[in-house]
Amino acid sequence: MNPRPLTSHPSARAPETAAPGQAPAAGAAPTVAERVRQAAAFVVHGPGRMAWPGFLGVVLMVFGGFGSGALRRQDPLLDTVFLSWLRYGHGKIVAGALVYIGLVLMFYSWVRIGRAVRAGGFTPAQLGGLAVAWAVPMLFSVPLFSRDAYSYLAQGALLRDGFDPYDVGPAVNPGPLLDNVSTVWTTTTAPYGPAFILIARGVTMITGDNVVTGTMALRLVMLPGLALLLWAIPRMARNLGGSPAIAMWVAVLNPLVLVHLIGGVHNELLMVALLTAGIVAVLERKHLLGIAVISLAVTVKATAGAALPFMVWIWMRHRREDRERDAEQPRWFPEFLRTAVPSVLVFAAVFAAATLAAGIGVGWMTALSGANKIINWLSLPTASAQLYTVATSWFTGVGLAPVLEIARLIGEAALVVIVVLVVARFRNSVHEAMHGVLYSMIAVVVLSPATLPWYYTWPLAVASGLVVSGRAMSMVAAFSVFTMLIFRPDGSIGMYQWYHVLLAAGCAAVAAIALHREDPLRLRGFLRGQGGAPVAGVARGGDG
């Protein structure tokens, strides 16, 4: 029994026609000058002009980030360029407002583009170009919504200076890099794979203890992940019978992805790119190559390993289809051995090579528990413990810590059971296996002891090839807006102020409605003195 894609929609598989302002290629390949003219027409007169508010939003975010982002503890560079006023008093308030205004503008453009995507108004290549245009200004930003970049650099410096980052935290290696690590992580060992620790070491060997150049170098080193995503996401959607344009809208152009992975300098950019590229290779019957690439993703961040069992099922399904075509009746267990054993060997070889190259063992597997220090209600066990404590502490006297420990143990046990059941259940077809990857990723994010907004880029990337309906796109839009807005630009949590949560929820609801109806708040009619008369724009694909 094959699970259906996330509900079907007649526009999901509509041919992606050339957009207005872009001349179709005919005969010989267009020259560079012709390509430039086509691109200019696309962004000035064609549907690409819908991305301009988002681009302005990115610029505002970058500027506002100099006052409200994850800044260095001591930042003389701001004094040098006369921007230190952004860090204090009213300047900091203005800077924070600019970041949120920029985010709203990005989401406004993204949702408008989503309406046009549903109508077939963009090609995947055009969406990729817009994603790159939005990403470029972020290359010059301070880290946004997270201080993790400073931890990456400090952990790389540990290996550079002869320490084992899986055995000790950055606190043993004082210096400018340590000064900027979040206090909670100064004594925490590195939870990242050996491949990424090698990358971080390489960056610090080149940039030394310079925090600014180190952060910029980290972005540049991880930037190939964006290029790989631009290649992999539409191919994955095509192989799954989905819409490549919708997939690009969900998993690449999405502000939740761009702001956190590029603006926030997160290694998810490499992990998710390698994961999706590996899935594409397996779907295209390059099974061992795909499993090797996903194994490499595991050596960046362990979560990618959730996809590996399902790649074995897809390989088995391909072999079964080949045998059935030859009128053979394959037996399940021998087929399982023929796929599982090579898969395990390839994973072991990639994992061992990365570990030997780093020369620091496998201590990172135990260091994964360091994330338990994060407390927010994006994690279901943590949220349950907090709600229980609030509801009962006044008459039981029991604090959060013991309740949290029990709730997280229950969550971890539930996660193991769910993943085992999903692996056993979703194995009878390629689509089933891909749904299994998605459900396993969601279970990992929701049931882990700690969850952060950028963790949701994992399941979003997998889901992008399965999202083909307007309803599913609305869910993605609402979820992305809400998850993006509930954190503050400096990386602190805004989920415990009711007004912050209500504003985020309101924006999420508007985004979900706006994906189907232009001007959902009827502001244009109000401004024209029409008492909020609706403006018809859906028929034009939201281009208005």
Side-chain angles (χ1 to χ4, degrees):
M1 178 178 178
N2 298 350
R4 297 170 58 191
L6 303 184
T7 65
S8 60
H9 188 277
S11 67
R13 296 179 180 85
E16 288 149 356
T17 58
Q22 182 175 15
T31 65
V32 174
E34 289 170 340
R35 289 181 183 275
V36 171
R37 284 196 296 269
Q38 291 171 8
F42 171 68
V43 297
V44 175
H45 303 294
R49 68 185 185 275
M50 286 187 276
W52 281 109
F55 183 80
L56 173 61
V58 175
V59 173
L60 290 177
M61 286 180 61
V62 171
F63 183 75
F66 287 116
S68 62
L71 298 164
R72 292 185 291 170
R73 308 292 186 196
Q74 302 294 328
D75 201 337
L77 183 61
L78 289 182
D79 293 327
T80 304
V81 294
F82 306 105
L83 290 177
S84 59
W85 61 274
L86 287 169
R87 292 193 63 174
Y88 307 102
H90 292 91
K92 188 168 185 177
I93 294 173
V94 170
L98 287 176
V99 172
Y100 281 114
I101 290 170
L103 265 181
V104 170
L105 287 172
M106 283 189 77
F107 278 116
Y108 167 73
S109 280
W110 181 62
V111 170
R112 289 185 70 202
I113 291 169
R115 288 201 303 267
V117 166
R118 291 190 64 213
F122 284 88
T123 67
Q126 290 167 344
L127 294 170
L130 296 180
V132 171
W134 283 3
V136 167
M138 291 186 214
L139 298 178
F140 306 96
S141 169
V142 303
L144 293 171
F145 293 93
S146 171
R147 303 187 66 85
D148 280 5
Y150 304 131
S151 294
Y152 296 163
L153 292 171
Q155 289 157 0
L158 284 174
L159 186 58
R160 178 198 67 188
D161 296 338
F163 298 97
D164 184 346
Y166 298 154
D167 185 51
V168 296
V172 303
N173 196 23
L177 297 181
L178 172 64
D179 294 343
N180 293 283
V181 176
S182 295
T183 306
V184 70
W185 302 127
T186 55
T187 57
T188 304
T189 55
Y192 309 114
F196 183 72
I197 294 297
L198 281 172
I199 291 171
R201 181 186 70 172
V203 168
T204 58
M205 290 177 69
I206 295 170
T207 62
D209 288 345
N210 190 304
V211 179
V212 174
T213 57
T215 302
M216 298 289 287
L218 267 179
R219 273 205 184 100
L220 293 176
V221 167
M222 292 192 284
L223 203 56
L226 178 61
L228 193 55
L229 273 179
L230 294 174
W231 175 86
I233 291 296
R235 290 179 75 97
M236 183 175 69
R238 288 189 190 99
N239 278 282
L240 294 173
S243 165
I246 291 178
M248 289 288 288
W249 181 83
V250 168
V252 181
L253 191 64
N254 191 335
L256 177 66
V257 175
L258 289 176
V259 175
H260 275 309
L261 301 197
I262 296 177
V265 203
H266 284 113
N267 57 12
E268 268 80 3
L269 184 57
L270 286 178
M271 186 272 275
V272 171
L274 290 168
L275 171 65
T276 52
I279 289 173
V280 168
V282 172
L283 292 174
E284 296 182 352
R285 295 175 176 259
K286 302 178 183 72
H287 303 104
L288 289 178
L289 174 62
I291 288 167
V293 173
I294 295 174
S295 300
L296 187 58
V298 175
T299 66
V300 173
K301 204 158 189 176
T303 319
L308 286 171
F310 301 97
M311 299 303 103
V312 174
W313 296 149
I314 292 175
W315 189 1
M316 284 184 64
R317 185 62 193 175
H318 287 165
R319 289 181 61 89
R320 180 177 292 272
E321 289 171 357
D322 294 341
R323 294 296 183 87
E324 289 173 348
R325 200 162 36 240
D326 297 334
E328 296 183 25
Q329 293 296 325
R331 291 181 297 170
W332 188 88
F333 189 68
E335 288 298 312
F336 174 73
L337 290 179
R338 291 188 183 99
T339 53
V341 171
S343 299
V344 171
L345 291 176
V346 168
F347 170 77
V350 172
F351 190 88
T355 301
L356 289 173
I360 46 178
V362 294
W364 64 291
M365 301 301 292
T366 56
L368 293 172
S369 62
N372 291 357
K373 296 179 180 179
I374 301 170
I375 297 179
N376 67 54
W377 50 255
L378 286 178
S379 160
L380 182 59
T382 303
S384 301
Q386 289 180 306
L387 288 173
Y388 178 85
T389 303
V390 168
T392 64
S393 61
W394 65 276
F395 63 86
T396 64
V398 178
L400 176 62
V403 178
L404 187 61
E405 183 176 356
I406 294 171
R408 285 176 166 176
L409 285 174
I410 294 172
E412 290 171 1
L415 175 59
V416 171
V417 171
I418 289 172
V419 169
V420 169
L421 291 176
V422 170
V423 170
R425 163 65 181 82
F426 291 89
R427 60 184 176 85
N428 295 316
S429 72
V430 171
H431 267 87
E432 274 200 3
M434 287 303 300
H435 278 79
V437 177
L438 174 59
Y439 300 150
S440 294
M441 289 280 186
I442 293 174
V444 169
V445 173
V446 173
L447 292 174
S448 290
T451 300
L452 292 164
W454 48 94
Y455 291 7
Y456 286 97
T457 60
W458 316 336
L460 270 178
V462 177
S464 65
L466 303 169
V467 171
V468 295
S469 75
R471 178 177 296 179
M473 290 177 70
S474 290
M475 292 172 60
V476 169
F479 180 80
S480 298
V481 171
F482 181 78
T483 307
M484 187 77 245
L485 292 180
I486 55 176
F487 264 55
R488 295 195 179 96
D490 63 356
S492 60
I493 301 172
M495 292 183 289
Y496 296 102
Q497 285 77 37
W498 62 268
Y499 58 87
H500 196 132
V501 174
L502 284 180
L503 283 172
C507 291
V510 171
I513 298 169
L515 196 61
H516 303 277
R517 187 175 70 204
E518 187 180 351
D519 192 22
L521 299 179
R522 301 183 178 181
L523 295 178
R524 293 182 186 176
F526 175 78
L527 293 174
R528 292 170 184 167
Q530 297 174 358
V535 178
V538 176
R540 292 176 286 152
D543 181 21

